[in-house]
């Protein structure tokens, strides 16, 4: 398959381009598109064959369910059998945006979307291109991150094509995404609601709206059975082996002749490595993280060492992604 790439304005997407992408989706094809978090790989969520093609293109295990993207909160009614009061509170506060909500699914959602489970994950993204596409198709779109399974999520069209060139019909290239890491996933079928994947919307922000929520432990090994297959330990990983470590570790590796990439958010000292300085603000760090890892991954290094990120709620999602990226 030849993957077409079309550049599109992120703020005012060209209607003809959107119509073309929507036509591909309506006939069961695969289109990668930007969201404010990462690029997604979209298919018609109501078409089991189309959704099956997502799993094939990504090499994704069939037990890992997909997020269904919607054009507005009202569209969730047809996809779900019930919605607690917290659903309306959370969507009023955070949609469109970086929050995915897990609810009991209705019969219209094919089993392949939910990996056979009784719940469905839904999100209304905030990116103008994603919203234009959702409105033009008039369909809910199943869309995981547009990368090969277990690899780094893409924050640019080049990242998408690194893994998926030749495996998808079209990519809409709107330049780099801004939120950087994947949405927070909150399970509203649990009592109290439970964060399955930490993300840009923090636990404190959620609790300010709906009261106490629980958190799946950031543990290694993870809980068994896994509450969400996306919590598989190795995930979000560059092809180059990655570890969390200090500048001393970098110097030791360099002395042994190892070619090291050093990702640090503190003052740079001489490291005899390829150094990438990161912002000390968590949101800015998140925006850059995958782009830096993708870039280091193309340099033929033997190892990437990342300075452990600070403690604190706003760094939790970053710590989570880096811990998973470092599982070998
Ligand atoms: O920001 C994002 O969420 C991006 C953009 C494209 O929207 N999407 C994304 O999708 O990261 P994906 O497939 O890479 O990650 C979806 C996560 C996985 O951890 C998956 O296991 C979990 O959501 N998930 C999906 N449906 C679920 C369900 N019904 N119950 C529990 N977890 C679910
Ligand atoms: Mg993913």
């Amino acid at each position: 398959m030849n993957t077409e790439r079309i550049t599109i304005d992120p703020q005012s997407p060209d209607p003809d381009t959107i119509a073309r992408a929507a036509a591909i989706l309506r006939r069961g094809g695969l289109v990668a598109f930007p969201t404010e978090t990462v690029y997604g790989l979209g298919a018609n969520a109501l078409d089991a064959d189309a959704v099956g093609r997502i799993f094939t293109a990504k090499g994704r295990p069939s037990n890992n369910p997909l997020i269904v993207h919607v054009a507005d909160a009202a569209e969730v009614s047809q996809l779900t059998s019930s919605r607690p009061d917290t659903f309306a509170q959370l969507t009023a506060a955070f949609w469109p945006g970086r929050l995915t909500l897990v609810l009991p699914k209705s019969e219209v959602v094919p089993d392949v979307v939910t990996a056979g489970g009784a719940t469905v994950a839904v999100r209304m993204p905030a990116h103008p291109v994603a919203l234009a596409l959702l409105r033009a198709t008039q369909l809910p779109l199943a869309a995981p991150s547009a990368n090969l399974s277990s690899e780094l999520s893409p924050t640019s069209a080049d990242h998408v094509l690194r893994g998926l060139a030749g495996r998808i019909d079209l990519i809409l290239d709107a330049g780099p995404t801004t939120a950087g890491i994947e949405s927070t996933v909150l399970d509203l079928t649990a009592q109290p609601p439970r964060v399955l994947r930490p993300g840009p919307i923090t636990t404190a922000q959620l609790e300010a709206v709906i009261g106490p929520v629980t958190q799946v432990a950031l543990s290694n090994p993870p809980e068994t059975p896994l509450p969400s297959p996306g919590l598989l330990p190795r995930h979000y990983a560059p092809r180059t082996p990655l570890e969390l470590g200090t500048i001393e570790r970098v110097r030791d590796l360099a002395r042994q002749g190892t070619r090291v990439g050093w990702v640090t958010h503190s003052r740079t000292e001489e490291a005899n490595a390829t150094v990438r300085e990161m912002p000390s603000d968590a949101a800015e760090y998140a925006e850059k993280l995958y782009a830096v890892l993708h870039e280091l991954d193309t340099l033929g290094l033997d190892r990437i060492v990342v300075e452990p990120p600070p403690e604190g709620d706003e760094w939790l999602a970053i710590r989570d992604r880096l811990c998973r990226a470092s599982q070998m």
Side-chain angles (χ1 to χ4, degrees):
M1 175 190 301
N2 188 30
T3 301
E4 193 181 357
R5 172 183 188 153
I6 308 181
T7 303
I8 190 162
D9 187 314
Q11 292 314 319
S12 54
D14 170 49
D16 292 339
T17 303
I18 291 292
R20 177 119 157 253
I24 293 171
L25 289 164
R26 293 193 69 86
R27 64 164 188 265
L30 299 183
V31 175
F33 63 88
T35 79
E36 75 277 37
T37 58
V38 301
Y39 275 73
L41 177 58
N44 176 358
L46 305 181
D47 177 344
D49 292 336
V51 174
R53 282 180 206 114
I54 291 179
F55 284 87
T56 306
K58 285 186 55 112
R60 184 176 177 107
S62 59
N63 67 352
N64 192 357
L66 304 179
I67 296 172
V68 176
H69 295 69
V70 293
D72 59 59
E75 212 184 311
V76 172
S77 303
Q78 57 146 341
L79 303 171
T80 53
S81 58
S82 64
R83 292 152 306 283
D85 294 342
T86 48
F87 174 76
Q89 294 161 354
L90 289 165
T91 54
F94 299 113
W95 278 16
R98 301 164 294 173
L99 178 64
T100 294
L101 298 168
V102 174
L103 294 161
K105 90 175 194 71
S106 75
E107 278 168 19
V108 305
V109 181
D111 285 338
V112 60
V113 172
T114 65
T119 61
V120 61
V122 291
R123 176 164 98 88
M124 177 185 178
H127 198 291
V129 172
L131 288 171
L133 196 56
L134 286 161
R135 289 182 190 127
T137 56
Q138 297 187 285
L139 288 168
L141 296 176
S145 53
N147 51 276
L148 292 176
S149 185
S150 91
E151 294 200 342
L152 283 174
S153 291
T155 57
S156 76
D158 284 339
H159 300 161
V160 174
L161 292 172
R162 248 190 110 196
L164 297 179
R167 294 167 164 261
I168 63 177
D169 296 291
L170 172 67
I171 172 157
L172 297 177
D173 176 0
T177 63
T178 52
I181 57 176
E182 306 83 355
S183 63
T184 304
V185 179
L186 181 68
D187 183 359
L188 290 182
T189 70
Q191 227 28 276
R194 178 155 78 143
V195 176
L196 297 179
R197 179 175 71 182
I201 307 291
T202 64
T203 300
Q205 286 176 289
L206 297 171
E207 290 188 330
V209 176
I210 58 166
V213 303
T214 59
Q215 180 89 49
V216 171
L218 234 190
S219 57
N220 180 27
E223 292 178 39
T224 43
L226 293 172
S228 173
L231 299 172
L232 288 171
R234 188 189 146 85
H235 216 92
Y236 312 109
R239 295 173 193 173
T240 313
L242 179 149
E243 67 182 62
L244 294 168
T246 61
I247 184 103
E248 285 74 29
R249 170 70 175 153
V250 174
R251 291 196 182 115
D252 281 350
L253 286 166
R255 267 195 292 276
Q256 295 159 24
T258 308
R259 286 161 306 166
V260 188
W262 169 231
V263 180
T264 171
H265 56 273
S266 26
R267 278 267 108 63
T268 318
E269 304 162 62
E270 184 47 46
N272 203 1
T274 303
V275 180
R276 292 294 175 271
E277 283 188 58
M278 299 297 285
S280 53
D281 171 78
E284 289 171 29
Y285 187 111
E287 182 180 341
K288 273 184 78 174
L289 177 61
Y290 288 142
V292 165
L293 296 181
H294 272 286
E295 190 240 336
L296 289 174
D297 214 13
T298 63
L299 300 183
L301 300 166
D302 302 310
R303 179 135 331 202
I304 297 169
V305 180
V306 182
E307 181 180 9
E311 297 297 311
D313 198 30
E314 75 277 18
W315 288 90
L316 179 65
I318 293 164
R319 288 201 303 278
D320 169 75
R321 302 304 187 276
L322 287 171
C323 285
R324 292 181 206 292
S326 66
Q327 308 283 322
M328 290 177 206

